[in-house]
Each structure stands twice: as structure tokens, then as C-alpha cells.
Amino acid sequence: METTDLKHAECISILRPIRDALDVLNGKWKLPIIVALTFGEKRFGEISKEVHGITDRMLAKELRDMEVNGLVKRKVYDTYPVKVTYMLTPHSETLNGVIESLRSWGELHRKKILSGDV
């Protein structure tokens, strides 16, 4: 195998899992929803209030996608009226390091941009 083939294979092996992660976390709403749920189980309306700018339709879609991908659990209570809550799964907690890294980078980037040092 040539060196360029090895570099290409290595590049693909790095990019594939990154692409997989981005496919699950795509869009601007999933990470804010996860952050909102890190503070505990919440009802739909509570999440909607905490994630500023999201429409109810988009929130419903994102929560369904996140449930399919094992990031969020939907719990339906047998009450009248029916109470539905959402919570993070143990699998979603594996994103804590990613979220903290994004937060740190975002703070650093904001300071850089606001200082005019671009």
C-alpha cells in the first residue's frame, strides 16, 4: 500500500466516527436540549421555555429524534391529564466531555472575536 493510500485510510477512519456523531447531533437544537435536561427531568413546556427560540414543532421533532438515538427517554404517567416528561439516558451522559469542550472553546472564541484579535 502506498503512503497516500494509508493517509487516506487513516483520514477515513478518523472522519467516519465524527460524521456519525454529527449525524446524531446535527442542527442547532439538540445540544441545547441536552444541556436543559442535564438539570433534571422536565416536561415539554419547561424545555421549550429553557431553549429560547425553538418552536414547539421543532422541539417535538428533535425530542423524537433524540429518543430514537437513545439520548432521551420519554416517560408517560398514567394520570389525568396525562403527564409526559423527558430525561437524559445514561448514553447521553457520554456527551458530557464533548459539551464541556464545546463550552470552553465557545468561551475562548467569543473572547477572541470580541477583542478584535481575529
Side-chain angles (χ1 to χ4, degrees):
M1 219 183 237
E2 291 184 30
T3 306
T4 55
D5 289 337
L6 287 173
K7 288 180 182 177
H8 178 71
E10 184 179 0
C11 182
I12 295 295
S13 72
I14 292 169
L15 288 175
R16 183 173 292 127
I18 291 171
R19 186 76 221 153
D20 291 345
L22 290 175
D23 285 345
V24 173
L25 300 172
N26 66 351
K28 68 180 193 177
W29 300 115
K30 287 190 177 84
L31 289 175
I33 292 167
I34 289 171
V35 171
L37 289 172
T38 59
F39 296 96
E41 185 175 323
K42 290 187 173 44
R43 295 179 76 164
F44 185 93
E46 294 171 313
I47 301 168
S48 182
K49 286 177 185 163
E50 289 188 18
V51 181
H52 299 286
I54 193 167
T55 64
D56 286 351
R57 184 176 179 173
M58 181 58 72
L59 178 56
K61 177 200 169 299
E62 296 290 46
L63 286 168
R64 273 193 308 272
D65 289 351
M66 293 168 71
E67 189 176 9
V68 166
N69 283 295
L71 299 175
V72 169
K73 181 179 180 199
R74 181 176 185 260
K75 188 173 180 182
V76 180
Y77 293 86
D78 188 19
T79 59
Y80 182 81
V82 174
K83 177 182 174 183
V84 178
T85 60
Y86 297 88
M87 66 199 75
L88 295 178
T89 64
H91 182 55
S92 67
E93 292 173 10
T94 62
L95 291 168
N96 289 347
V98 172
I99 291 169
E100 187 54 41
S101 292
L102 282 170
R103 177 182 171 211
S104 296
W105 185 86
E107 289 171 348
L108 179 72
H109 181 67
R110 178 178 289 272
K111 286 177 189 171
K112 183 175 182 71
I113 296 298
L114 292 176
S115 73
D117 187 27
V118 183

